[in-house]
């Protein structure tokens, strides 16, 4: 009888530990709501989801690289590069400070600049993947290099081609594509949410229903065993990097459109935010484990926290402290979990 | 003072893991100056017992007495400081640092606040010398430049440097050559002469009877028996370990090898591990490859399998020449490789049994649009678990939660699903208990009966002699001998094979 009690008590403790992060975040939410009850409004939540949407898209990209056992610090600067290049090509024809005259660059259909930056980042990220896969450069170092190269390219383009003018005055269709909403009942849902949903669904298929995804998990789980099992390690890695690049590009185009402007500082801390969201969402930095719903939850958690903290008037400076604590707690809890299971 | 009969006494040790009794009141005592072998199948509770001794686990009940003092260690470090050490199967060392730093790690000799390198060199030399004249290791050598055997000696030296009374050796010979085993045995003799107690954990019967004074057998967390080694024999130990009569350690064969299926001609690899290797393999034949560590056995299998670049030579399967430039190509051509280091390049530890089972043929599960058929994967995994009797709660369990023997079965199952023509196995029963070994031999024989070709490398000679139709001996990258166990079994003695194995060393 007593033993039964101990068992069920252990189970409750285990359950608490396994979900401690959600418990903590739930408590934080309750505190925020207690301080500012007006936080509980549907419009706040749709805002949070809209702000999360672009981040979810590029987090899905970097998550694949993390599952491979790597990391990608270049994410932010690549997003920035894509945003600046696409934005410069998507300004309204009648905008007075247009970078290119209508003779140089006429009004382009949205798909063209998107394809162009997708191709550009696919190339950069593909080379990045090749450096890691073929030459065995440590992913951290390789991404550090690619980050600087992307940033330099972005600065050069912004300062020389765009004359250092922040890019705005976008084409109407582009703005609507990124800022538009649909009303369903009383809810107004942004297009961005649907784009993110589509990306997550597509990536879920890639991760769980294709050989590419399975091979990705195999490489992250045990690269040497993957080689023995006939997995084409290099090709798989490069493909995952290319997919990441394309998602960064898409995310960058959408982010510029959402905020209505772009400049060379864009993307400075995106990489860390995205990687932190993945880790909080349960993607192990050791590689080989992680789920896309986890990534989505990770991004949304961070967004809720930062939006909620702004809402109750916590200084932006302190928000970094809170975010940092969440990352550390998430990883500690995760380690505890795996350690306990190993016993 | 009265001389203690036992150095170490463990009485009535119990340990429970979330309701499962892993140790049910085990007694285990070690006499000074003796080797006490601790035997049992995987999961019998040997390592749990040892972990309770070292303070890695807290025991739930029972008492431990060391030299007449009651002790209860809370950490391996405390155990070590009190004279109990462990030389692990997978050596836990800092490979990128040198020998002496590994020996004195955590207690470097200091002089004026700085590390006294000169004293460290001398102390290390002294300790190493105390192990015997066969031990020649430079204290300044980087550990990663040493052989497994020498690294093990460093670990033993470390134990000696702590003045340990009890030294535990866990599967100490699993990656040693016969010659290195001899050296280890001499070192053990020396330690015995110094009055130390050695706890010796191994699955290798021949070795146990060579070295042990006492033998304790455990099964299912219980003590079965403790006897003087002289009162025991191999069959008795096995019988007690498995709890049933094992009439034979090897299953019986009832088929004949057929026509040649695979031909290897003049093989040389890019890194010069292999020199002009040529041989034939027949349908339904189990071909053994014997040899010392570094003889090129693994390299040969990897070159055939395309995991290693072939510089020269031909590979002919059923009259067709193959290139096998990558493992992908080799798998497509009907080859399978069960690797030597399960943890290094066999399993995906944190992924499910299903994943581990289907990954080598993942493309076989796609439909026309490249979509994976998950239900087919589950179905095949379940089929394979039943067919080879893998012990696992379900298909979603992470493979690292299984015992070594069951992990190996999953890997063999992985390749069986590919239905290969040629099955290459590199030390397939390494670190696996007797019962599971028998089942793996049976799987090998089933393959042979289906007219597949099987090549098995092993460092355990009795195993090769027990399961093979023919044995090739490799030495220094050459084939130095061949024994046909069907035609002339009388020539295939361990001594003859050993002589061939050392031909090109």
């Amino acid at each position: 009888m007593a033993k039964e009690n101990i068992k069920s008590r252990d189970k409750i403790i285990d359950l608490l530990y396994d979900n401690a992060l959600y418990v903590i975040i739930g408590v934080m939410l309750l505190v925020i709501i207690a301080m500012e009850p007006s936080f509980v409004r549907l419009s706040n939540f749709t805002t949070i989801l809209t702000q999360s949407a672009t981040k979810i898209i590029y987090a899905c990209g970097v998550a694949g690289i993390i599952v491979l056992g790597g990391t990608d610090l270049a994410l932010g600067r690549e997003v920035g590069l894509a945003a600046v290049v696409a934005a410069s090509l998507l300004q309204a024809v009648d905008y007075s400070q247009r970078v290119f005259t209508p003779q140089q660059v006429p009004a382009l259909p949205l798909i063209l600049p998107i394809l162009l930056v997708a191709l550009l980042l696919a190339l950069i990220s593909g080379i990045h993947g090749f450096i890691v896969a073929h030459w065995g450069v440590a992913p951290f170092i390789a991404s550090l290099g690619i980050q600087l190269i992307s940033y330099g390219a972005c600065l050069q383009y912004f300062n020389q081609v765009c004359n250092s003018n922040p890019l705005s005055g976008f084409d109407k269709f582009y703005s609507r594509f990124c800022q538009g909403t649909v009303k369903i009942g009383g809810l107004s849902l942004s297009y961005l949410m649907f784009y993110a949903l589509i990306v997550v669904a597509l990536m879920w298929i890639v991760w769980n229903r294709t050989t590419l995804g399975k091979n990705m998990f195999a490489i992250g789980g045990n690269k040497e065993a993957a080689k023995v099992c006939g997995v084409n390690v290099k090709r798989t890695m490069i493909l995952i990097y290319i997919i990441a690049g394309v998602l960064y590009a898409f995310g960058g185009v959408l982010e510029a459109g959402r905020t209505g402007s772009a400049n060379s500082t864009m993307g400075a801390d995106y990489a860390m935010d995205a990687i932190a969201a993945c880790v909080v969402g349960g993607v192990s930095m050791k590689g080989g484990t992680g789920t896309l719903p986890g990534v989505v939850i990770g991004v949304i958690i961070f967004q809720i926290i930062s939006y909620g903290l702004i809402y109750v008037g916590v200084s932006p400076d302190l928000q970094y402290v809170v975010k940092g604590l969440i990352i550390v707690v998430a990883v500690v809890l995760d380690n505890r979990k795996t350690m306990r299971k190993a016993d | 003072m009265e001389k203690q009969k036992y150095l170490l006494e463990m009485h009535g040790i119990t340990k429970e893991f979330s309701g499962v009794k892993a140790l049910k009141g085990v007694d285990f005592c070690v006499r000074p100056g003796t080797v006490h072998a601790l035997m049992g199948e995987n999961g019998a509770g040997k390592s749990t017992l040892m972990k309770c001794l070292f303070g890695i686990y807290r025991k739930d009940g029972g008492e431990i007495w060391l030299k007449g003092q009651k002790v209860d260690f809370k950490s391996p470090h405390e155990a070590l400081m009190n004279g109990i050490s462990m030389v692990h199967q997978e050596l836990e060392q800092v490979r990128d640092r040198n020998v002496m730093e590994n020996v004195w790690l955590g207690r470097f000799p200091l002089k004026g606040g700085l590390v006294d390198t000169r004293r460290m060199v001398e102390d290390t030399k002294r300790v190493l010398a105390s192990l015997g004249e066969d031990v020649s290791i430079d204290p300044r050598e980087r550990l990663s430049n040493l052989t497994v055997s020498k690294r093990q000696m460093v670990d033993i030296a470390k134990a000696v440097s702590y003045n340990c009374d009890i030294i535990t050796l866990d599967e100490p010979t699993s990656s040693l050559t016969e010659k290195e085993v001899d050296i280890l045995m001499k070192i053990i003799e020396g330690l015995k002469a110094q009055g130390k107690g050695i706890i010796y954990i191994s699955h290798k019967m021949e070795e146990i009877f060579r070295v042990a004074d006492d033998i304790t057998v455990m099964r299912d967390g219980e003590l079965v028996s403790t006897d003087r080694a002289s009162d025991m024999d191999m069959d008795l130990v096995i019988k007690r370990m498995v709890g049933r009569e094992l009439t034979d350690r090897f299953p019986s064969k009832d088929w004949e090898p057929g026509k040649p299926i695979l031909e290897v001609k003049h093989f040389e690899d890019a890194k010069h591990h292999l020199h002009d290797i040529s041989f034939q393999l027949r349908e339904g034949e189990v071909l053994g490859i014997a040899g010392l560590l570094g003889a090129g056995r693994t390299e040969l299998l990897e070159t055939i399998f395309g995991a290693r670049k072939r510089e020269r030579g031909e590979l002919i399967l059923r009259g067709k020449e193959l290139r096998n430039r990558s493992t992908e190509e080799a798998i497509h051509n009907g080859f399978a490789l069960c690797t030597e280091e399960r943890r290094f390049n066999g399993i995906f530890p944190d992924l499910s049994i299903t994943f581990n089972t289907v990954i080598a043929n993942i493309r076989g599960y796609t439909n026309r649009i490249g979509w994976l058929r998950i239900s087919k994967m589950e179905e095949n995994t379940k089929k394979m678990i039943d067919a080879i009797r893998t012990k696992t709660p379900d298909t979603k369990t992470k493979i690292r939660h299984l015992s070594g023997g069951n992990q190996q079965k999953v890997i063999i199952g992985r390749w069986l699903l590919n239905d290969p023509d040629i099955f290459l196995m590199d030390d397939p029963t390494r670190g696996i208990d007797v019962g599971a070994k028998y089942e793996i031999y049976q799987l090998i024989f089933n393959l042979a009966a289906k007219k597949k070709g099987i090549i098995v490398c092993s460092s355990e000679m009795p195993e090769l002699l027990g399961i093979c139709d023919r044995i090739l001996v490799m030495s220094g990258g050459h084939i130095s001998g061949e024994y046909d166990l069907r035609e002339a079994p009388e020539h295939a003695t361990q001594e003859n094979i050993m002589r061939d194995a050392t031909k090109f060393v």
Side-chain angles (χ1 to χ4, degrees):
Chain A
M1 208 45 210
K3 213 164 241 173
E4 286 298 305
N5 280 334
I6 291 172
K7 252 193 208 162
S8 61
R9 204 190 62 198
D10 278 356
K11 263 193 191 141
I12 291 169
I13 292 174
D14 282 0
L15 205 68
L16 272 179
Y17 266 120
D18 286 352
N19 299 294
L21 198 64
Y22 302 113
V23 175
I24 293 169
I25 284 155
V27 170
M28 284 185 67
L29 260 181
L30 287 179
V31 172
I32 289 171
I33 293 166
M35 288 170 74
E36 204 61 68
S38 67
F39 186 69
V40 196
R41 255 205 322 230
L42 271 178
S43 67
N44 278 335
F45 285 93
T46 50
T47 309
I48 287 170
L49 288 179
T50 303
Q51 288 174 349
S52 305
T54 51
K55 293 179 180 160
I56 287 172
I57 292 170
Y58 43 73
C60 284
V62 77
I65 295 177
I66 299 175
V67 170
L68 282 176
T71 186
D72 189 1
L73 301 177
L75 178 155
R77 295 307 183 182
E78 285 183 34
V79 170
L81 176 64
V84 166
V85 171
S88 72
L89 297 173
L90 283 167
Q91 289 174 304
V93 211
D94 51 1
Y95 182 57
S96 59
Q97 287 175 314
R98 205 171 190 265
V99 172
F100 300 106
T101 63
Q103 285 74 38
Q104 287 169 318
V105 178
L108 297 171
L110 180 58
I111 187 76
L112 275 184
I114 291 183
L115 279 180
L116 179 77
V117 290
L119 213 63
L120 176 69
L121 290 208
L123 185 72
I124 294 178
S125 207
I127 292 171
H128 185 176
F130 183 81
I131 293 169
V132 174
H134 187 76
W135 283 315
V137 176
F140 180 85
I141 302 298
S143 76
L144 207 57
I146 297 293
Q147 178 195 28
L148 289 176
I149 292 168
S150 307
Y151 185 41
C154 178
L155 279 176
Q156 183 73 10
Y157 186 84
F158 184 71
N159 292 334
Q160 303 305 317
V161 180
C162 311
N163 294 318
S164 313
N165 290 325
L167 300 156
S168 52
F170 293 145
D171 176 71
K172 280 230 169 56
F173 180 72
Y174 175 40
S175 299
R176 207 165 350 112
F177 185 77
C178 301
Q179 297 171 355
T181 56
V182 277
K183 284 235 175 345
I184 298 176
L187 273 177
S188 97
L189 303 172
S190 62
Y191 291 170
L192 286 177
M193 288 185 209
F194 294 101
Y195 305 149
L197 200 66
I198 291 166
V199 166
V200 172
L202 284 177
M203 290 310 289
W204 189 87
I205 290 170
V206 171
W207 279 31
N208 297 293
R209 288 287 185 273
T210 66
T211 50
L212 178 68
K214 293 288 173 189
N215 288 345
M216 169 183 83
F217 277 104
I219 293 169
N222 186 344
K223 201 165 162 186
E224 296 307 318
K227 280 182 199 159
V228 172
C229 291
V231 172
N232 190 327
V233 173
K234 276 181 209 170
R235 195 183 61 200
T236 304
M237 287 178 74
I238 293 171
L239 277 174
I240 295 294
Y241 271 90
I242 289 177
I243 290 175
V246 170
L247 293 180
Y248 300 163
F250 192 47
V253 174
L254 294 179
E255 182 69 7
R258 180 179 78 85
T259 54
S261 77
N263 63 56
S264 59
T265 61
M266 208 176 140
D269 45 14
Y270 289 8
M272 284 307 170
D273 284 354
I275 293 168
C278 290
V279 171
V280 169
V283 183
S284 166
M285 290 302 283
K286 282 184 235 116
T289 47
T291 65
L292 284 164
V295 174
V296 173
I297 289 171
V299 173
I300 292 176
I301 281 175
F302 272 106
Q303 205 59 43
I304 288 178
I305 297 299
S306 48
Y307 189 82
L309 293 180
I310 293 172
Y311 205 82
V312 294
V314 173
S315 99
D317 306 347
L318 280 179
Q319 283 175 35
Y320 284 108
V321 176
V322 176
K323 279 190 193 176
L325 283 174
I326 289 172
I327 295 170
V328 174
V329 170
V331 175
V332 169
L333 287 174
D334 192 54
N335 282 353
R336 232 196 103 91
K337 215 191 298 180
T338 47
M339 255 156 39
R340 199 190 58 226
K341 280 181 184 156
D343 278 349
Chain B
M1 207 182 98
E2 188 200 354
K3 198 166 180 293
Q4 293 292 330
K5 193 180 170 213
Y6 292 112
L7 265 179
L8 173 76
E9 296 177 66
M10 300 175 79
H11 290 299
I13 308 295
T14 58
K15 177 72 192 171
E16 213 182 286
F17 291 111
S18 46
V20 180
K21 283 198 173 116
L23 293 176
K24 305 166 189 167
V26 177
D27 294 334
F28 183 71
C29 302
V30 181
R31 296 183 292 149
T34 63
V35 174
H36 196 144
L38 183 56
M39 312 219 36
E41 293 193 82
N42 289 343
K46 289 170 300 180
S47 39
T48 311
L49 182 67
M50 286 300 112
K51 282 179 178 170
C52 286
L53 173 61
F54 295 119
I56 297 171
Y57 293 156
R58 302 305 307 273
K59 59 182 176 356
D60 294 332
E63 291 178 348
I64 302 176
W65 298 76
L66 181 64
K67 293 201 281 188
Q69 297 270 317
K70 197 173 166 188
V71 293
D72 185 13
F73 302 125
K74 288 173 196 65
S75 72
H77 181 245
E78 197 185 332
L80 186 61
M81 296 310 281
N82 284 284
I84 296 188
S85 79
M86 171 93 168
V87 176
H88 283 273
Q89 189 176 357
E90 318 273 324
L91 299 171
E92 291 174 352
Q93 296 170 323
V94 192
R95 293 202 193 183
D96 287 327
R97 305 304 300 175
N98 62 26
V99 170
M100 55 183 187
E101 284 182 34
N102 271 280
V103 172
W104 302 103
L105 189 66
R107 48 185 182 139
F108 292 133
L110 297 180
K111 195 170 161 188
L114 300 175
V115 175
D116 186 351
T117 313
R118 194 179 306 158
R119 200 178 128 204
M120 203 151 77
V121 175
E122 258 142 45
D123 287 354
T124 311
K125 275 188 184 152
R126 184 172 46 74
V127 174
L128 285 168
S130 77
L131 295 184
E133 67 264 39
D134 293 316
V135 182
S136 57
I137 300 171
D138 180 359
R140 293 175 187 274
E141 186 65 54
R142 221 217 264 209
L143 227 58
S144 53
N145 295 335
L146 298 180
T147 59
V148 180
S149 151
K150 292 208 164 157
R151 287 192 3 234
Q152 188 180 61
M153 288 174 197
V154 172
D155 235 17
I156 296 174
K158 184 175 171 180
V160 171
S161 77
Y162 273 98
N163 262 324
C164 283
D165 301 303
I166 299 286
I167 297 175
T168 307
L169 301 171
D170 185 9
E171 295 274 351
T173 59
S174 61
S175 18
L176 300 193
T177 64
E178 304 272 333
K179 216 188 229 168
E180 290 166 340
V181 171
D182 288 341
I183 296 176
L184 178 69
M185 293 300 159
K186 263 194 212 164
I187 293 175
I188 290 175
E189 284 302 319
L191 294 172
K192 271 168 72 172
Q194 292 172 33
K196 303 199 183 297
I198 316 274
I199 303 173
Y200 197 97
I201 302 173
S202 175
H203 288 119
K204 297 186 188 170
M205 294 291 164
E206 287 80 9
E207 215 172 272
I208 293 294
F209 281 95
R210 185 171 161 193
V211 71
D213 299 291
D214 300 331
I215 297 179
T216 288
V217 180
M218 287 180 70
R219 187 175 68 231
D220 300 330
E222 277 176 285
L223 174 79
V224 179
S225 67
T226 299
D227 293 281
R228 297 280 181 270
S230 47
D231 301 338
M232 301 275 284
D233 64 44
M234 229 175 260
D235 290 336
L236 193 57
V237 172
I238 293 174
K239 195 176 136 192
R240 287 187 180 162
M241 276 169 66
V242 296
R244 65 194 141 92
E245 200 90 38
L246 255 189
T247 42
D248 208 340
R249 285 164 69 192
F250 304 104
S252 56
K253 298 182 230 185
D254 51 0
W255 72 94
E256 290 279 334
K259 55 182 191 296
I261 176 169
L262 182 80
E263 207 172 335
V264 168
K265 281 183 176 172
H266 313 296
F267 253 46
E268 306 210 341
D269 70 328
K271 288 192 178 150
H272 309 293
H273 289 294
L274 305 177
H275 305 286
D276 198 20
I277 303 276
S278 301
F279 64 87
Q280 269 195 350
L281 177 69
R282 299 200 283 164
E283 282 180 350
E285 186 179 37
V286 182
L287 176 66
I289 298 185
L292 305 174
L293 210 80
R297 294 175 306 184
T298 301
E299 287 80 0
L300 174 61
L301 294 193
E302 287 182 356
T303 310
I304 295 174
F305 193 62
R308 196 173 270 276
K309 212 172 155 216
R310 186 186 344 152
E311 183 92 341
R312 222 163 64 79
E314 290 169 48
L315 183 69
I316 298 158
L317 178 70
R318 293 211 169 95
K320 211 177 108 201
E321 194 181 339
L322 301 175
R323 299 175 73 177
N324 281 9
R325 280 163 304 181
S326 67
T327 53
E328 213 177 347
E329 203 178 321
I331 292 170
H332 180 76
N333 287 333
F335 288 77
L337 171 66
C338 182
T339 59
E340 181 183 16
E341 303 254 359
R342 214 167 27 243
R343 259 177 272 186
F344 174 64
N345 57 8
I347 61 168
F348 300 91
D350 284 318
L351 296 169
S352 68
I353 306 293
T354 305
F355 191 100
N356 272 283
T357 305
V358 301
I359 183 66
N361 184 28
I362 192 79
R363 241 168 254 182
Y365 296 93
T366 49
N367 62 11
R368 250 168 300 148
I369 55 165
W371 191 282
L372 288 173
R373 289 174 297 172
I374 303 290
S375 56
K376 185 84 196 294
M377 289 160 68
E378 284 295 323
E379 190 186 307
N380 274 354
T381 305
K382 287 203 182 105
K383 215 169 65 192
M384 198 40 74
I385 287 174
D386 292 341
I388 60 181
R389 293 204 300 264
T390 313
K391 271 181 225 148
T392 170
D394 54 45
T395 56
K396 288 190 179 59
T397 306
K398 290 179 181 176
I399 195 169
R400 72 187 162 103
H401 295 311
L402 302 189
S403 69
N406 281 309
Q407 289 180 0
Q408 191 70 324
K409 283 192 193 169
V410 172
I411 293 180
I412 292 175
R414 171 197 290 171
W415 294 114
L416 291 179
L417 278 173
N418 282 12
D419 195 25
D421 288 321
I422 306 294
F423 210 132
L424 311 169
M425 301 178 126
D426 201 352
D427 231 339
T429 63
R430 183 175 171 182
I432 289 177
D433 60 64
V434 182
K437 272 185 183 176
Y438 188 89
E439 291 184 55
I440 286 179
Y441 300 146
Q442 189 63 59
L443 288 174
I444 294 174
F445 285 11
N446 290 347
L447 280 169
K450 280 193 225 149
K451 293 189 180 307
K452 310 285 182 188
I454 298 118
I455 304 181
V456 182
C457 289
S458 175
S459 35
E460 277 187 68
M461 211 86 84
E463 172 172 295
L464 288 179
L465 292 170
I467 62 170
C468 295
D469 298 302
R470 192 153 56 95
I471 295 177
L472 296 175
V473 187
M474 283 186 76
S475 176
H478 302 267
I479 288 189
S480 56
E482 180 173 350
Y483 296 89
D484 194 322
L485 295 170
R486 282 182 184 267
E487 301 296 321
E490 66 280 4
H491 294 304
T493 60
Q494 296 208 23
E495 292 72 36
N496 284 344
I497 292 175
M498 206 57 221
R499 200 172 313 120
D500 288 338
T502 50
K503 218 180 247 177
F504 296 96
V505 176

